[in-house]
Amino acid sequence: MLFSLDGLNALITGGAGAIGKKTAIELAKQGAGIIIADIRQDALESAAEEIKSQSGKDVVEIINCNLLDTENTKELFSKCEEKLGQIDILVNNAGIDRDKLYMKMTEEDLDIVMNVNLKAIFTLTKSAVMAMSKRKFGRIINISSVVSFIGNPGQVNYCASKAALVGMSKAIALEYAKRGITVNCVAPGAIKTPMTDVVSDEARERFLSKIPLGYMADPIEIAYAICFLASRESSYITGQTIHVNGGMYMG
């Protein structure tokens, strides 16, 4: 066991996705109670079974939530606390992209990405901070991206949302440090997914040449960093971004 999270409960948004599931599995293995939120009900139910199977956890709670719905987002944290008693760890993992070259990108493309990747986190984290402040303990981990530091063609909106998330996290960390709440980011690089498995060998080699370690991360490698920041052992780390990118960016 890396760390003991016994007695702590975690909410992971985007919990039906690759990083979300792996994070939930690792947090559960360390003893945390788990609730995953996502907009896809079938995927949520499937993810919950996978998390239980791989972690040995008997119960994994699920909540269907549309982060584009502000009222839905405002109610999410309190609903989770009703289910588990209290939430000590919030992993803001859910995110979307709407990739287009800048001159073809519309205001709608910008708004929807900013609303999910930034505004929803602003709203949900406010609920978390209010509750965690009363208990003088909390771990908030926001998932940014390597592209918020290096840029990426076709992702003006996504890069902007993930860069803004880093700045927002630092400000919240400063405001609530004395309340026992730490706020940090994890910035993943390239992640191995079913989509990356079907690209041509030439395209894969060209992409891998930008990664000093020479491979795309398994989602579990991102989950390990999140798990550490969620632990009691990370108590003196706040306002930081942990880069997990194989050396693509060394800031």
Side-chain angles (χ1 to χ4, degrees):
M1 181 177 288
L2 290 172
F3 316 103
S4 174
L5 300 178
D6 290 341
L8 302 180
N9 295 317
L11 163 61
I12 303 105
T13 66
I19 293 176
K21 280 191 295 186
K22 292 292 187 180
T23 298
I25 289 166
E26 290 308 308
L27 291 174
K29 283 181 179 179
Q30 312 312 316
I34 300 296
I35 186 164
I36 55 173
D38 206 291
I39 196 173
R40 302 163 294 168
Q41 184 65 28
D42 290 347
L44 268 174
E45 293 172 2
S46 174
E49 292 306 311
E50 185 177 340
I51 294 163
K52 286 188 282 187
S53 172
Q54 293 193 29
S55 70
K57 201 80 173 177
D58 293 332
V59 177
V60 175
E61 299 285 355
I62 64 174
I63 287 189
N64 189 299
C65 181
N66 178 6
L67 293 178
L68 281 172
D69 184 331
T70 300
E71 292 306 313
N72 206 208
T73 306
K74 285 180 179 178
E75 295 170 356
L76 176 58
F77 197 84
S78 60
K79 286 182 178 179
C80 292
E81 294 217 315
E82 287 173 10
K83 284 180 175 286
L84 293 183
Q86 68 182 51
I87 299 296
D88 311 283
I89 301 160
L90 171 61
V91 182
N92 285 308
N93 169 65
I96 62 170
D97 56 40
R98 290 291 186 273
D99 295 353
K100 290 178 185 175
L101 290 175
Y102 177 49
M103 294 308 292
K104 294 184 177 180
M105 191 173 288
T106 66
E107 289 187 15
E108 183 181 1
D109 294 325
L110 175 65
D111 288 344
I112 192 170
V113 169
M114 295 297 284
N115 283 340
V116 173
N117 295 1
L118 187 66
K119 182 181 177 182
I121 294 175
F122 171 89
T123 301
L124 178 56
T125 300
K126 182 176 286 190
S127 297
V129 164
M130 287 175 64
M132 292 173 177
S133 291
K134 296 174 184 176
R135 300 188 286 263
K136 303 289 187 181
F137 179 87
R139 296 284 185 267
I140 298 170
I141 302 103
N142 297 325
I143 307 306
S144 182
S145 170
V146 66
V147 300
S148 67
F149 294 86
I150 64 174
N152 200 37
Q155 289 195 309
V156 167
N157 49 0
Y158 186 79
C159 292
S161 69
K162 293 298 187 177
L165 180 57
V166 171
M168 184 172 77
S169 300
K170 290 179 180 180
I172 298 171
L174 282 169
E175 289 190 24
Y176 288 92
K178 292 184 179 179
R179 299 292 184 93
I181 300 171
T182 64
V183 186
N184 293 289
C185 290
V186 171
I191 309 297
K192 184 176 173 58
T193 67
M195 289 178 64
T196 62
D197 289 339
V198 299
V199 301
S200 68
D201 290 341
E202 180 182 355
R204 183 179 292 106
E205 287 303 315
R206 187 167 60 248
F207 189 78
L208 291 177
S209 69
K210 300 178 181 178
I211 305 173
L213 286 182
Y215 70 93
M216 287 182 277
D218 185 286
I220 192 66
E221 295 177 284
I222 313 304
Y224 289 147
I226 297 169
C227 191
F228 169 62
L229 290 174
S231 72
R232 296 179 179 92
E233 286 79 359
S234 70
S235 57
Y236 208 55
I237 301 173
T238 195
Q240 303 301 310
T241 298
I242 306 298
H243 295 277
V244 189
N245 58 49
M248 280 180 71
Y249 171 78
M250 299 185 185

